[in-house]
């Protein structure tokens, strides 16, 4: 489970218009970097706990 909740107040002004999981570093979001690292370690299924990512254009997949 990837915990991607929180207001990101310590990252302001980067988080004024997006959650910290979607802050970009070198053209990739923190969430993308985290998921890529998990994949590199062989993890293929994850749960991302962040209720409002859909609001920011993220694709949301709901499991069974």
């Amino acid at each position: 489970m990837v915990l991607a909740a929180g207001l990101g107040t310590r990252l302001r002004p980067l988080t004024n218009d997006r959650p910290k999981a979607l802050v970009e570093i070198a053209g990739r979001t923190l969430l993308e970097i985290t998921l890529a690292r998990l994949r590199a370690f062989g993890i293929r299924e994850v749960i991302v706990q962040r209720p409002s990512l859909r609001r920011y254009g993220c694709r949301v997949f709901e499991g069974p």
Side-chain angles (χ1 to χ4, degrees):
M1 176 176 251
V2 176
L3 301 175
L7 299 176
T9 55
R10 289 174 285 187
L11 293 176
R12 288 199 176 126
L14 299 173
T15 56
N16 283 342
D17 63 346
R18 68 188 72 211
K20 65 184 168 201
L22 298 182
V23 169
E24 290 188 12
I25 296 176
R28 296 172 65 201
T29 66
L30 290 174
L31 184 57
E32 285 179 277
I33 294 166
T34 300
L35 295 176
R37 294 195 70 189
L38 289 172
R39 180 174 282 214
F41 283 103
I43 296 171
R44 298 288 181 248
E45 294 183 32
V46 298
I47 297 170
V48 177
Q49 190 274 321
R50 178 62 196 195
S52 65
L53 286 179
R54 183 179 290 150
R55 224 182 329 178
Y56 296 94
C58 291
R59 292 182 295 164
V60 177
F61 300 96
E62 296 179 12

